[in-house]
């Protein structure tokens, strides 16, 4: 049980892929203008990473049995691409407004390095199926947390009077840096 707690806290706060390891910066900065859009992207990424962690762990076992470990990255990328297509098709049908709001960033989940990094970390660390799935889910929740927090800050910044040089993207970069410093403060938790 303590392993699950360490994975939960570690992946969401201590080893947050965006704030502490600086993966997934493109969608983090691109989709963080509105909380609604950030939440939608976070949920899509959570689905993709969680399912990808589960499926890639199973496929890695098959690759190990067949002696084809060298195909790991290619297989993982194919799994991620298929999952993103499923999410994209579902959003197009179920929530056209969110699909439009996410725009180009939705297909870019395929190349979001967080997704591949989590899948490879699960194998490298030697997690079992349950730990891999939990690690994927918690990593995605950490990504979502960072994304929604920045979106909330950016929405407040839009309403505030700020110097012209700090409006828009420069302000987002400064806030991202300050958030990263805050997340680094969680480093001693585990």
């Amino acid at each position: 049980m303590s392993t699950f707690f360490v994975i939960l806290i570690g992946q969401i706060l201590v080893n947050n892929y965006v704030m502490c390891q600086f993966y997934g910066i493109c969608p983090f900065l691109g989709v963080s203008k509105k909380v609604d859009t950030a939440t939608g992207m976070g949920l899509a990424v959570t689905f993709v990473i969680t399912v990808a962690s589960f499926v890639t762990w199973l496929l890695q076992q098959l690759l190990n049995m067949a002696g084809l470990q060298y195909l790991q990255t290619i297989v993982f990328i194919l799994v991620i691409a298929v999952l993103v297509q499923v999410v994209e098709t579902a959003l197009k049908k179920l929530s056209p407004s969110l699909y439009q709001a996410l725009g180009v960033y939705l297909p870019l989940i395929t190349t979001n390095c967080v997704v591949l990094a989590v899948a490879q970390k699960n194998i490298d660390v030697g997690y079992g199926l349950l730990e891999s799935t939990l690690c994927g889910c918690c990593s995605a929740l950490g990504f979502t947390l960072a994304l929604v927090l920045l979106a909330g800050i950016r929405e407040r910044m839009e309403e505030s009077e700020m110097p012209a040089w700090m409006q828009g993207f420069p302000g987002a970069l400064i806030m991202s840096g300050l958030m990263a410093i805050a997340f680094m403060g969680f480093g001693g938790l585990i």
Side-chain angles (χ1 to χ4, degrees), residues 38-150:
T39 303
M41 175 60 107
L43 293 174
V45 169
T46 300
F47 174 78
V48 170
I49 292 178
T50 303
V51 175
S53 295
F54 179 83
V55 172
T56 55
W57 187 89
L58 293 173
L59 290 174
Q60 182 65 39
Q61 303 315 306
L62 293 174
L63 291 173
N64 290 345
M65 286 189 292
L68 300 172
Q69 296 90 339
Y70 59 90
L71 294 176
Q72 178 192 59
T73 304
I74 294 169
V75 170
F76 286 10
I77 290 172
L78 289 173
V79 167
I80 292 164
V82 167
L83 289 171
V84 170
Q85 285 301 116
V86 168
V87 168
E88 190 172 1
T89 304
L91 281 179
K92 198 173 195 178
K93 288 277 190 195
L94 301 173
S95 181
S97 60
L98 180 58
Y99 176 78
Q100 289 293 337
L102 293 175
V104 70
Y105 293 102
L106 187 57
L108 284 178
I109 295 174
T110 304
T111 60
N112 186 342
C113 50
V114 173
V115 184
L116 184 59
V118 171
Q120 288 185 323
K121 175 191 176 178
N122 291 334
I123 302 305
D124 293 344
V125 172
Y127 285 150
L129 180 61
L130 190 56
E131 290 99 349
S132 293
T133 307
L134 179 66
C135 180
C137 182
C138 292
S139 298
L141 292 175
F143 177 84
T144 303
L145 175 67
L147 192 63
V148 171
L149 285 175
L150 182 62

Side-chain angles (χ1 to χ4, degrees), residues 153-175:
I153 292 169
R154 286 181 78 174
E155 281 185 359
R156 294 289 302 257
M157 287 172 63
E158 288 292 321
E159 299 170 1
S160 303
E161 288 189 32
M162 299 173 55
W165 64 268
M166 197 172 163
Q167 293 175 359
F169 194 68
L173 287 175
I174 292 169
M175 288 294 97

